[in-house]
Amino acid sequence: AQLEIKRLTKDLKKSPQDGELLYQRARLFRSQGLEREAVIDLEAGLKYAPQHQGINASLCELYMGAGQHEKAYKRALVLVKHHEKDHNSHQLAGESSAALGNFTRSYNHFFDAFEISPSEELASLVLKADLLRKNQKVLCDKMEGVDLDEINVNVKKSELCQ
């Protein structure tokens, strides 16, 4: 992998704005556990290839792993917009929106992924997201008129009841 990284680095000196080369080197960095370097290459590659499926998917996964769920969801939305027939794009959007606590959005993305490529895994994700969105709705309905600041709860109702 190190030799391939060196070769890609050399190629990038000739073509520094090549999003695909940056993506390929980022993949190698990730395989070596060098996530910081991978993110740097992927974010640079995004400037030159903003709709690149691999760049957006990799950034989404890395942002999710770093707890940067809003950034992950933005990448997932690009994937869904430009690769709407790809179930993995919808699955990443479902996972990142669930991490943000929006289970209705999550359910919709998982359902779209399932419609594109039915599988047991996606069926399970659809069912879990459906249960979570229903429970979230019940909780929000019961919280109508409750001032969360008054009862010292560290949750914003606007974030929970989207």
Side-chain angles (χ1 to χ4, degrees):
Q2 292 299 329
L3 289 174
E4 187 66 12
I5 290 172
K6 286 181 183 180
R7 183 190 66 76
L8 287 167
T9 301
K10 185 178 174 183
D11 290 347
L12 279 163
K13 287 182 181 173
K14 296 176 195 167
S15 304
Q17 297 179 351
D18 189 325
E20 182 61 30
L21 288 177
L22 287 160
Y23 169 66
Q24 293 301 327
R25 190 171 70 172
R27 286 184 56 199
L28 290 169
F29 282 145
R30 278 187 85 183
S31 74
Q32 300 297 301
L34 303 169
E35 291 187 355
R36 193 172 129 285
E37 290 82 353
V39 169
I40 291 168
D41 272 5
L42 292 166
E43 288 177 342
L46 196 59
K47 293 175 190 170
Y48 310 115
Q51 298 173 13
H52 190 287
Q53 189 170 11
I55 291 173
N56 282 289
S58 295
L59 276 173
C60 182
E61 292 166 355
L62 287 164
Y63 289 153
M64 284 288 291
Q68 297 175 323
H69 306 301
E70 192 65 46
K71 288 173 87 172
Y73 187 64
K74 285 180 183 177
R75 293 297 100 221
L77 287 180
V78 171
L79 286 168
V80 168
K81 179 179 179 181
H82 297 288
H83 308 279
E84 65 184 49
K85 299 294 183 196
D86 177 57
H87 75 279
N88 290 315
S89 298
H90 290 279
Q91 184 170 348
L92 285 170
E95 291 168 359
S96 56
S97 58
L100 288 169
N102 190 320
F103 301 115
T104 298
R105 219 171 32 194
S106 179
Y107 168 82
N108 292 333
H109 288 300
F110 286 139
F111 190 83
D112 290 343
F114 180 79
E115 282 191 318
I116 293 166
S117 181
S119 70
E120 283 186 32
E121 177 190 10
L122 287 172
S124 174
L125 290 170
V126 168
L127 292 172
K128 287 177 186 175
D130 188 39
L131 181 62
L132 288 168
R133 77 180 174 139
K134 288 176 180 171
N135 286 337
Q136 187 177 36
K137 183 179 179 345
V138 168
L139 178 62
C140 290
D141 289 347
K142 289 187 183 281
M143 289 173 49
E144 192 63 38
V146 174
D147 183 359
L148 295 178
D149 290 331
E150 191 175 294
I151 58 174
N152 201 23
V153 175
N154 196 16
V155 171
K156 291 182 180 168
K157 191 172 180 181
S158 62
E159 291 175 0
L160 180 64
C161 303
Q162 301 166 2

